[in-house]
């Protein structure tokens, strides 16, 4: 992978350990609105989707007003009410610094809305590492390749010189659809078997191991 010029990261479950809060916030939202409470695995499987497709998957049959109600309650739960911590995974900042020093460009392709991505950029201080980013309200939902195609077009990097890193089948399938190579991380929503079946060339167990793979 020495010819990789652009590394594109998912956010939730990849750079930030936020899966637990997403699960508990979604379950609390269902209880607040008297909707069927999804299981942990059901919520994990929609992480990475844009919010409206995620709501449709978890709560089928909602009309527009119902989706709007879920969105409002979920945002309150996730941003204000849920105390579950969302730290960066160990080694993230050092890994990003090493990649940037090596001359590679870095980007983010996330299922978060732009407002959510702006918030976590401010909380973590990581925004300066990235040359660009795409959020769920700026492109088709994963696994559609639109996010990656927009990033490739903006940076001028060819698909075969780009690498997508994520924790979900959606990330791997998006990369495959865009002709981009993909690595999984084994500490997010999906395990190594599912990630490799969806197109991951390898699955990282921690961030320091990325340097070995790229070398």
């Amino acid at each position: 992978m020495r010819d990789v010029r652009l590394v594109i990261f998912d956010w939730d479950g990849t750079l930030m350990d936020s899966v637990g809060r997403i699960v508990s916030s979604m379950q609390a939202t269902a209880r607040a609105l008297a909707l069927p409470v999804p299981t942990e695995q059901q919520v994990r499987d929609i992480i990475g989707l844009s919010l409206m497709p995620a709501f449709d998957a978890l709560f089928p049959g909602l009309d527009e007003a119902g989706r709007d109600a879920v969105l409002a309650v979920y945002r309150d739960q996730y941003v204000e009410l849920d105390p579950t911590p969302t730290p960066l995974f160990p080694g993230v900042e050092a890994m990003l610094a090493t990649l940037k020093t090596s001359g590679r460009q870095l980007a983010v392709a996330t299922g978060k809305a732009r407002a959510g991505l702006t918030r976590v950029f401010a909380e973590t201080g990581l925004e300066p590492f990235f040359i660009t980013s795409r959020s769920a309200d700026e492109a088709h939902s994963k696994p559609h390749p639109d996010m990656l195609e927009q990033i490739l077009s903006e940076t001028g990097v060819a698909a075969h010189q780009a690498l997508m890193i994520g924790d979900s089948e959606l990330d791997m399938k998006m990369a495959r659809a865009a002709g981009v190579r993909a690595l999984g991380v084994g500490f997010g929503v999906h395990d190594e078997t599912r990630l490799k079946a969806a197109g991951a060339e390898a699955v990282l167990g921690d961030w320091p191991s990325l340097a070995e793979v790229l070398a």
Side-chain angles (χ1 to χ4, degrees), residues 48-53 71 75 108-119 121 133-142 146-147 150 174:
L49 286 174
S50 303
L51 281 176
M52 290 308 175
L71 177 61
R75 280 179 172 164
V108 170
T110 178
K112 286 186 175 299
R114 174 55 63 179
L117 182 59
T118 298
R119 185 182 67 254
F121 272 164
S133 59
R134 286 298 183 279
S135 59
D137 46 359
E138 298 165 341
H140 291 292
S141 178
K142 299 175 184 181
D146 188 28
M147 283 190 194
Q150 288 189 34
M174 176 177 67

Side-chain angles (χ1 to χ4, degrees), residues 90-176:
V92 163
E93 292 183 76
M95 174 272 297
L96 294 175
T98 297
L99 287 179
K100 193 161 187 179
T101 299
S102 75
R104 292 183 171 94
Q105 296 179 331
L106 310 180
V108 170
T110 178
K112 286 186 175 299
R114 174 55 63 179
L117 182 59
T118 298
R119 185 182 67 254
V120 294
F121 272 164
E123 289 173 356
T124 62
L126 294 186
E127 185 173 12
F129 284 109
F130 303 107
I131 189 171
T132 191
S133 59
R134 286 298 183 279
S135 59
D137 46 359
E138 298 165 341
H140 291 292
S141 178
K142 299 175 184 181
H144 193 287
D146 188 28
M147 283 190 194
L148 297 186
E149 289 172 346
Q150 288 189 34
I151 290 171
L152 294 174
S153 177
E154 179 179 341
T155 59
V157 175
H160 71 276
Q161 293 179 309
L163 173 67
M164 176 71 203
I165 304 180
D167 67 312
S168 119
E169 292 176 338
L170 296 169
D171 299 311
M172 305 301 103
K173 291 176 180 178
M174 176 177 67
R176 186 168 59 189

Side-chain angles (χ1 to χ4, degrees), residues 15-26:
L15 297 178
M16 178 172 275
D17 187 5
S18 47
V19 172
R21 185 185 287 190
I22 294 171
V23 171
S24 56
S25 295
M26 197 67 78

Side-chain angles (χ1 to χ4, degrees), residues 6-119:
L6 171 66
V7 184
I8 306 164
F9 296 90
D10 171 55
W11 190 272
D12 292 309
T14 300
L15 297 178
M16 178 172 275
D17 187 5
S18 47
V19 172
R21 185 185 287 190
I22 294 171
V23 171
S24 56
S25 295
M26 197 67 78
Q27 291 176 330
T29 297
R31 287 191 289 269
L33 295 173
L35 295 168
V37 179
T39 66
E40 177 179 350
Q41 190 59 56
Q42 285 174 321
V43 180
R44 290 170 75 93
D45 284 344
I46 59 85
I47 293 174
L49 286 174
S50 303
L51 281 176
M52 290 308 175
F55 296 157
D56 288 341
L58 293 175
F59 313 114
L62 289 178
D63 58 16
E64 184 175 353
R67 291 190 197 95
D68 289 343
V70 171
L71 177 61
V73 174
Y74 175 74
R75 280 179 172 164
D76 284 345
Q77 287 290 337
Y78 187 86
V79 177
E80 303 291 344
L81 302 177
D82 195 316
T84 307
T86 57
L88 295 173
F89 284 107
V92 163
E93 292 183 76
M95 174 272 297
L96 294 175
T98 297
L99 287 179
K100 193 161 187 179
T101 299
S102 75
R104 292 183 171 94
Q105 296 179 331
L106 310 180
V108 170
T110 178
K112 286 186 175 299
R114 174 55 63 179
L117 182 59
T118 298
R119 185 182 67 254

Side-chain angles (χ1 to χ4, degrees), residues 163-210:
L163 173 67
M164 176 71 203
I165 304 180
D167 67 312
S168 119
E169 292 176 338
L170 296 169
D171 299 311
M172 305 301 103
K173 291 176 180 178
M174 176 177 67
R176 186 168 59 189
V180 169
R181 302 176 74 173
L183 291 177
V185 296
F187 37 78
V189 299
H190 290 147
D191 62 23
E192 181 174 356
T193 299
R194 291 182 66 172
L195 291 169
K196 286 187 173 179
E201 294 185 31
V203 176
L204 306 174
D206 55 37
W207 281 118
S209 62
L210 176 60

